[in-house]
Amino acid sequence: MPIHVQVHADKQAASGAVAARIRDLILLRQHEGRPAVLGLATGSTPLPLYAELIRLHRDTGLSFRNVITFNLDEYEGLSGDRPESYRHFMEVNLFRHLDLRPGATHVPDGTATDQDQACRAYEDAIRQAGGLDLQVLGIGRTGHIGFNEPPSARESRTRRVHLDEVTRRDNAGFFRQPEDVPHGALTMGVATIMDARQVELLAFGSAKAEIIRRTLHETPHAGCPATWLQAHPRSEEHTSELQSRQYLVCRLLLEKKT
Ligand code: GLP
């Protein structure tokens, strides 16, 4: 899977480029008569992307009737009607503004009594939908993608994980009190993400510069799960451009030659 790094002028430009790829994918799949399967992320990073998808739907008539979505993760113990849950986040920031079919959106069930079974069923549902066409990713400062905290194996699949304290602190702003942030989550695994036909990782701001540097330069290892996204060494041109930037706006693109 060749990796490309594109540095954009600002968040809007980077998000617009990803939105355009999603639009093209939806139109292609529509033409082929099969659904487009999107992997989606939460956090502040994808918000401009979701705003742009809503705009494309509203202003250009782009339809999401033919789209199936799978979110990366959900907090353990939070039902979808809780305002801090990722299901709620997605409803408010994207789903309710589009013409998705009922049942077309999937978020892991943080309240499942049998978590292992819920995780297996999530993997099965992705497979039955035809696999992820395009996975949107942000990145956590621990190097997590989804909630694949260090250490996360390359072969990991959807499962229950324990959240790093750095991550709990970073995400505390979405909760009433820092101690309300759950200690666990259900997340797609690294292998689930790597099976996607395209991956678009967005990273904005100086707080992400160091983890992007590590993602690109460290030999892939479980201690920095985002490094698994590497396939081969990137060009010097790209890496030097990234190193020279204080405020980072970048996209990492991975595409399978299928
Ligand atoms: C959470 C999510 C990740 C996301 C990360 C970064 O931990 N589980 O999928 O990438 O937040 O959040 P932000 O985009 O707000 O920096």
Side-chain angles (χ1 to χ4, degrees), residues 41-46 72-73 86 137-140 144-147 167 171 174 208:
T42 51
S44 51
T45 303
L72 284 165
D73 45 17
Y86 281 166
L137 290 181
I139 187 167
H144 72 230
I145 46 177
F147 265 141
T167 301
N171 291 354
F174 291 100
K208 298 289 171 70

Side-chain angles (χ1 to χ4, degrees), residues 34-245:
R34 56 188 179 122
V37 185
L38 299 180
L40 298 177
T42 51
S44 51
T45 303
L47 287 175
L49 165 64
Y50 296 158
E52 176 60 8
L53 291 177
I54 293 166
R55 192 197 66 77
L56 287 174
H57 171 62
R58 193 188 54 218
D59 295 353
T60 75
L62 179 68
S63 174
F64 287 73
R65 295 288 289 167
N66 205 34
V67 172
I68 299 176
T69 71
F70 289 91
N71 263 79
L72 284 165
D73 45 17
E74 180 60 282
Y75 287 111
E76 186 176 39
L78 293 193
S79 58
D81 52 2
R82 288 277 294 277
E84 307 91 343
S85 73
Y86 281 166
R87 161 59 77 178
H88 184 80
F89 176 99
M90 292 306 299
E91 294 290 343
V92 169
N93 292 299
L94 186 66
F95 296 158
R96 69 167 63 151
H97 306 281
L98 304 175
D99 61 344
L100 287 152
R101 287 179 202 274
T105 65
H106 304 79
V107 181
D109 180 2
T111 61
T113 41
D114 187 341
Q115 293 182 330
D116 291 346
Q117 156 60 20
C119 291
R120 274 195 303 274
Y122 205 69
E123 289 279 334
D124 286 347
I126 294 172
R127 246 190 315 274
Q128 272 163 25
L132 298 167
D133 284 315
L134 187 152
Q135 176 66 55
V136 176
L137 290 181
I139 187 167
R141 288 193 303 138
T142 61
H144 72 230
I145 46 177
F147 265 141
N148 289 286
E149 297 281 28
S152 284
R154 165 71 181 85
E155 302 76 27
S156 56
R157 290 278 164 188
T158 304
R159 70 202 184 289
R160 194 249 174 209
V161 289
H162 186 76
L163 296 180
D164 196 286
E165 283 309 309
V166 173
T167 301
R168 291 187 67 243
R169 270 200 303 279
D170 283 352
N171 291 354
F174 291 100
F175 290 79
R176 258 207 300 262
Q177 309 190 69
E179 51 276 26
D180 290 347
V181 182
H183 289 270
L186 302 189
T187 183
M188 281 185 198
V190 174
T192 324
I193 293 167
M194 293 292 280
D195 281 350
R197 295 180 188 96
Q198 293 179 53
V199 176
E200 288 268 8
L201 187 152
L202 288 163
F204 302 146
S206 53
K208 298 289 171 70
E210 172 61 10
I211 195 60
I212 290 295
R213 187 196 63 73
R214 293 184 58 201
T215 298
L216 296 174
H217 293 278
E218 288 183 5
T219 304
H221 66 115
C224 183
T227 56
W228 293 124
L229 296 170
Q230 290 177 36
H232 59 78
R234 288 129 325 269
S235 75
E236 284 308 311
E237 194 191 338
H238 282 138
T239 53
S240 58
E241 187 181 2
L242 277 174
Q243 275 165 356
S244 66
R245 288 202 157 220

